[in-house]
Amino acid sequence: MTFDVTDAWHPTVNPSARMPVHHHRHPVVLGHGDGLLNEFPRHRGGTTIRLPRVRDGRLHVVELGGDSVFAPWWLPASEPDAVRHITHVYETALRHPEPTKAERRVLAVLRDDFAARCAEGSNGLTIGEALWQATDALHRRLTPSLPRLTLTSLTRSDARHMLARALGHVPGGLLTALVRWAEQEQRPMWPLLAVATSPEGVPLRVRLHAVDGRFDLSPLPTTSGAHPTGRPVPLGEDELINLIDAGRLIPGSRLTALAEVSLHLVDTPVRHFGNTYGAFGILSSLLSDPEAPDIPCCPDDEDSWHYADLPHGDDHRYPLHLVELAACTTEAHAAAEALISASLAKGGPIPLELKGGDLDATVRAGGAGLLR
């Protein structure tokens, strides 16, 4: 049986125009619509709301500030502080003077849908899953042709057991392999190897100290200015693996790649849908697996792409996002469907030209010649 690792989509409060393409590409590349939601946090990743404005024939992007640093996607949706972390992002945007009346309606819909899914205690969702489902539901109302896609947290997926077993059978040992990798990169420490949850529901980070060959656990600051209490505590290799198996740890890309190559070494078919950043090539040498680079995967940033983008400055492009599209008219939503189809046929973004004084006119003009 083929083991599919699908880390191509992170939860986000305002998905970009890559989300619909990801929906279409997932079943095309893998042949099914079930995958893993990547809940490993990125620095300020997925919690920033930006709104594009067309003025004076140019695009201006307004960023609505927030204090999120590392969003606790993997925590249970029953955790009140984690829920507030995400609803606070929307509420901060709603208090900002920039959003239009239509954009405020969209922001409120996303906030309320997310909060309602979290309040439904029987569903057992994580924060990331609840937000993924809320944004997916809104995107599907705007562009109904999106294929069905189910993304599940690794904390609740049976895939975690296979990943844990694989990390327990890394040739030479997991810690040894990671230390050699860090030494090759000349990194004395990896400060965010994985994230975990304490028994009390506190978000934690796993650090690798390559100089003296050890792991430790320490509180993860989730907001700017936060100073979590608690001293780092040692973490053994077996303890790390057991946390994955128990659904209390989300591995970063390095740990995931190690597990994939470990499976490949025992002839378990593996496919990777998402970026790998050259990890298989590095591990080919570290683990003496010359065929590791042959693990099927898309080239970085080619698993999916933005279906449409706008000129921003002299040499940049800015992709459409869900909030501003949802605030547009139904005619613009129909144009977006046409743009998605055209982008899939092209294999890349459709460049839009700024029209009129608003985004709605730009999207409608971009899809006008594509509508049937």
Side-chain angles (χ1 to χ4, degrees):
M1 180 179 176
T2 300
F3 182 63
D4 289 337
V5 175
T6 61
D7 64 359
W9 192 260
H10 298 258
T12 173
V13 295
N14 187 20
S16 72
R18 192 167 71 85
M19 187 178 189
V21 175
H22 175 267
H23 271 66
H24 283 273
R25 291 277 292 163
H26 191 289
V28 168
V29 173
L30 299 176
H32 59 79
D34 297 286
L36 296 172
L37 181 64
N38 190 341
E39 294 180 320
F40 189 78
R42 299 163 293 157
H43 187 260
R44 299 194 181 277
T47 54
T48 302
I49 292 176
R50 300 177 181 89
L51 298 175
R53 297 290 183 258
V54 182
R55 291 194 297 267
D56 305 321
R58 297 176 65 86
L59 186 72
H60 304 264
V61 179
V62 180
E63 183 171 313
L64 311 187
D67 61 357
S68 174
V69 178
F70 289 108
W73 305 124
W74 68 99
L75 263 59
S78 57
E79 177 58 47
D81 286 344
V83 176
R84 281 192 291 270
H85 187 108
I86 305 305
T87 56
H88 178 69
V89 174
Y90 288 118
E91 287 161 1
T92 299
L94 285 165
R95 288 194 297 270
H96 196 283
E98 182 64 31
T100 65
K101 184 176 181 180
E103 288 167 340
R104 291 179 189 281
R105 283 198 301 269
V106 176
L107 291 165
V109 164
L110 287 171
R111 178 200 60 191
D112 295 347
D113 190 354
F114 164 75
R117 293 172 192 273
C118 291
E120 170 102 31
S122 61
N123 56 27
L125 297 177
T126 62
I127 293 294
E129 288 175 315
L131 185 60
W132 150 259
Q133 290 183 9
T135 55
D136 175 69
L138 178 55
H139 236 139
R140 196 171 299 286
R141 289 199 291 273
L142 305 181
T143 54
S145 65
L146 289 187
R148 289 287 170 185
L149 185 61
T150 301
L151 298 182
T152 304
S153 170
L154 181 64
T155 63
R156 302 197 309 127
S157 168
D158 288 342
R160 70 183 190 274
H161 305 308
M162 184 172 283
L163 285 175
R165 287 194 297 271
L167 290 174
H169 292 89
V170 172
L174 173 60
L175 180 57
T176 299
L178 287 168
V179 167
R180 289 176 60 204
W181 193 347
E183 289 174 345
Q184 182 171 314
E185 294 187 353
Q186 299 182 328
R187 297 283 299 275
M189 182 181 76
W190 281 338
L192 198 62
L193 182 71
V195 291
T197 311
S198 76
E200 297 76 31
V202 175
L204 305 170
R205 62 178 171 181
V206 178
R207 302 186 296 183
L208 169 72
H209 299 266
V211 174
D212 45 4
R214 61 184 176 88
F215 301 119
D216 71 16
L217 275 173
S218 63
L220 178 71
T222 56
T223 58
S224 58
H227 300 286
T229 58
R231 298 174 60 84
V233 297
L235 180 69
E237 183 175 319
D238 288 342
E239 291 176 297
L240 185 154
I241 292 169
N242 289 338
L243 283 173
I244 295 177
D245 200 49
R248 288 178 49 205
L249 186 145
I250 298 289
S253 60
R254 292 184 176 92
L255 280 175
T256 302
L258 262 174
E260 291 174 271
V261 175
S262 178
L263 289 168
H264 186 258
L265 281 165
V266 294
D267 297 325
T268 299
V270 178
R271 296 186 298 181
H272 187 103
F273 185 59
N275 294 337
T276 63
Y277 304 113
F280 294 154
I282 295 170
L283 292 174
S284 172
S285 171
L286 289 178
L287 300 184
S288 300
D289 181 10
E291 295 182 355
D294 297 330
I295 293 175
C297 62
C298 297
D300 287 349
D301 300 318
E302 293 185 22
D303 55 315
S304 59
W305 53 84
H306 299 116
Y307 68 82
D309 56 25
L310 307 156
H312 186 209
D314 294 331
D315 56 358
H316 293 87
R317 308 291 301 180
Y318 183 81
L320 288 176
H321 284 71
L322 177 60
V323 169
E324 60 260 27
L325 178 65
C328 289
T329 60
T330 55
E331 290 82 1
H333 302 162
E337 286 249 56
L339 288 165
I340 292 168
S341 297
S343 175
L344 291 168
K346 176 186 175 182
I350 304 298
L352 301 181
E353 296 181 11
L354 300 179
K355 300 289 185 180
D358 61 75
L359 187 69
D360 189 273
T362 296
V363 176
R364 284 188 284 111
L370 304 171
L371 292 169
R372 296 179 179 179

